[in-house]
């Protein structure tokens, strides 16, 4: 099915597979077509407030709806997109799709939450990213403070001047900045001073060990108690069980996201989920 099809695809172009460049360039052409034909779409996963139960944010997660192979996950196609430079076309599409979707939800009366998109280091090196974002905001009229950027801790730590000026610019625009996979980069607290970070997302590898694993408990508690006085909100990602949810709530974690609530859904499925939720 979809996941294993994705893995087979990966095997086709993994350099260590010893395959020639023929199949790889086929896949590259396939991805190029996918970008043009709008086969890359967003799925959405809610982030739920642990005090009120309200949906605080919806994270957009990219999927490739392959006409033959079904749904392919970002871990499979994003590395190729980065290597080939197709990532820049993808960035533009992501900005526009996010603003269109948010606008549509606002029109439908679904509001009160922000929309988060993920950005990689190479996307933050793209000079046209800001133009695309401003175009998308102007075109749709969506207020920029309803958007969030999720950037991995390891990306923020790279300190490229291009990425820093972009992050300064988005924060001037009131776009929220969240640190993704928090605790897995070379954690330096310095960047928390450097940028007006709004949220830190506890990596799912720590959440997965809750509540049983002592180390995971200690790390989770440490992140929460560090974040509080800094005025950061804490999001736990990869929450799958009621025990994990309860542990996080009791320790004062603000927001949770994961299969416990729902898997990432299509926009339509999310609308139905929100009404029932
Ligand atoms: P991420 O931003 O840390 O996203 C969380 C990943 O965990 C998602 O995988 C999500 O589907 C998965 N997940 C959510 N809840 C659970 C759970 O309860 N248990 C488990 N085991 N997994 C859960 P996905 O969608 O495959 O995305 C993987 C990564 O790809 C993302 O990690 C993000 O870094 C990247 N990504 C996704 N979309 C984009 C995009 O548009 N641009 C960029 N640059 N990166 C993206
Ligand atoms: Mg993310
Ligand atoms: Mg993450
Ligand atoms: Mg993660």
């Amino acid at each position: 099915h979809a996941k294993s099809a994705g893995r087979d695809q990966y095997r086709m172009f993994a350099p260590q597979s010893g395959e020639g460049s023929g199949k790889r360039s086929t896949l590259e052409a396939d991805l190029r077509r996918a970008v043009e034909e709008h086969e890359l779409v967003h799925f959405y996963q809610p982030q739920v407030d642990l005090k009120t139960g309200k949906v605080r944010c919806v994270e957009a997660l990219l999927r490739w709806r392959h006409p033959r192979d079904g749904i392919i996950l970002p871990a499979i196609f994003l590395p190729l997109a980065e290597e080939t430079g197709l990532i820049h076309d993808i960035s533009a599409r992501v900005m526009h799709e996010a603003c269109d979707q948010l606008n549509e939800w606002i029109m439908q009366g679904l509001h009160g939450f922000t929309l988060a998109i993920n950005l990689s280091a190479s996307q933050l090196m793209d000079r046209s990213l800001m133009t695309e974002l401003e175009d998308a905001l102007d075109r749709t009229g969506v207020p920029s403070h309803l958007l969030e950027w999720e950037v991995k801790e390891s990306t923020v730590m790279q300190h490229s001047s291009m990425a820093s000026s972009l992050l300064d610019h988005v924060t001037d625009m009131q776009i929220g900045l969240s640190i993704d996979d928090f605790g897995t980069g070379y954690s330096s607290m310095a960047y928390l001073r450097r940028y007006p970070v709004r949220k830190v997302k506890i990596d799912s590898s720590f959440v997965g060990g809750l509540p049983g694993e002592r180390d995971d408990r200690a790390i989770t508690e440490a992140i929460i108690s560090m974040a509080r006085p800094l005025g950061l909100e804490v999001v736990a990602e990869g929450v799958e069980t009621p025990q994990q949810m309860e542990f996080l709530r009791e320790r004062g974690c603000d927001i949770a996201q994961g299969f416990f609530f729902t898997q990432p859904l299509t926009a339509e499925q999310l609308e139905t989920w929100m009404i029932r939720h």
Side-chain angles (χ1 to χ4, degrees):
H1 58 315
K3 261 194 171 170
S4 52
R7 267 187 220 112
D8 291 337
Q9 285 288 318
Y10 184 68
R11 240 176 266 129
M12 278 170 56
F13 66 82
Q16 60 272 42
S17 72
E19 300 279 350
S21 61
K23 282 185 175 171
R24 195 204 141 89
S25 59
T26 307
L27 192 76
E28 190 180 322
D30 216 17
L31 184 57
R32 199 171 293 280
R33 186 214 62 234
V35 175
E36 281 158 14
E37 305 286 323
H38 299 266
E39 289 171 20
L40 298 184
V41 296
H42 279 147
F43 275 42
Y44 299 91
Q45 192 180 36
Q47 296 179 4
V48 178
D49 191 301
L50 287 177
K51 281 193 206 79
T52 64
K54 289 203 175 116
V55 174
R56 292 282 306 279
C57 177
V58 168
E59 179 176 3
L61 293 158
L62 210 52
R63 300 286 180 266
W64 180 358
R65 268 189 207 280
H66 195 284
R68 190 187 59 234
D69 299 331
I71 302 283
I72 303 178
L73 293 173
I76 309 296
F77 65 87
L78 280 182
L80 182 67
E82 304 256 344
E83 278 173 49
T84 55
L86 279 168
I87 189 70
H88 301 309
D89 297 308
I90 294 174
S91 302
R93 289 283 161 81
V94 164
M95 299 291 174
H96 284 275
E97 193 184 331
C99 291
D100 280 330
Q101 188 57 65
L102 195 51
N103 192 30
E104 206 178 303
W105 281 330
I106 293 168
M107 309 270 234
Q108 286 178 31
L110 282 174
H111 48 67
F113 56 86
T114 53
L115 192 139
I117 57 174
N118 292 283
L119 290 168
S120 67
S122 68
Q123 289 178 285
L124 293 182
M125 298 297 288
D126 182 354
R127 288 178 193 286
S128 59
L129 190 74
M130 198 43 80
T131 325
E132 292 294 346
L133 174 62
E134 278 162 357
D135 282 355
L137 289 169
D138 286 346
R139 188 175 53 76
T140 56
V142 162
S144 54
H145 71 266
L146 295 181
L147 289 182
E148 277 180 39
W149 281 16
E150 291 194 5
V151 179
K152 284 179 199 293
E153 185 170 45
S154 51
T155 300
V156 184
M157 288 298 295
Q158 286 174 13
H159 294 307
S160 81
S161 59
M162 174 78 202
S164 323
S165 66
L166 204 59
L167 291 178
D168 284 335
H169 194 154
V170 291
T171 47
D172 289 346
M173 290 168 73
Q174 311 290 317
I175 292 177
L177 181 59
S178 300
I179 306 301
D180 212 340
D181 301 355
F182 188 77
T184 63
Y186 302 91
S187 305
S188 150
M189 301 299 143
Y191 71 77
L192 294 175
R193 275 196 321 209
R194 168 74 180 77
Y195 302 108
V197 174
R198 197 184 283 174
K199 289 176 175 172
V200 292
K201 299 188 74 180
I202 306 178
D203 191 63
S204 52
S205 62
F206 304 121
V207 175
L210 300 178
E213 296 288 332
R214 195 196 55 191
D215 293 355
D216 293 334
R217 277 202 311 269
I219 291 167
T220 301
E221 286 167 352
I223 293 174
I224 295 169
S225 53
M226 176 221 60
R228 271 278 165 82
L230 287 170
L232 299 169
E233 281 199 302
V234 183
V235 184
E237 53 178 19
V239 177
E240 295 184 351
T241 69
Q243 291 80 11
Q244 288 166 352
M245 209 266 297
E246 268 318 311
F247 177 89
L248 290 158
R249 199 216 305 270
E250 280 166 14
R251 304 303 141 114
C253 176
D254 303 290
I255 297 168
Q257 174 181 12
F259 298 166
F260 175 70
F261 299 102
T262 172
Q263 302 216 345
L265 302 169
T266 64
E268 247 177 40
Q269 289 169 332
L270 183 81
E271 289 156 22
T272 313
W273 183 89
M274 290 236 221
I275 292 160
R276 273 204 242 110
H277 178 82

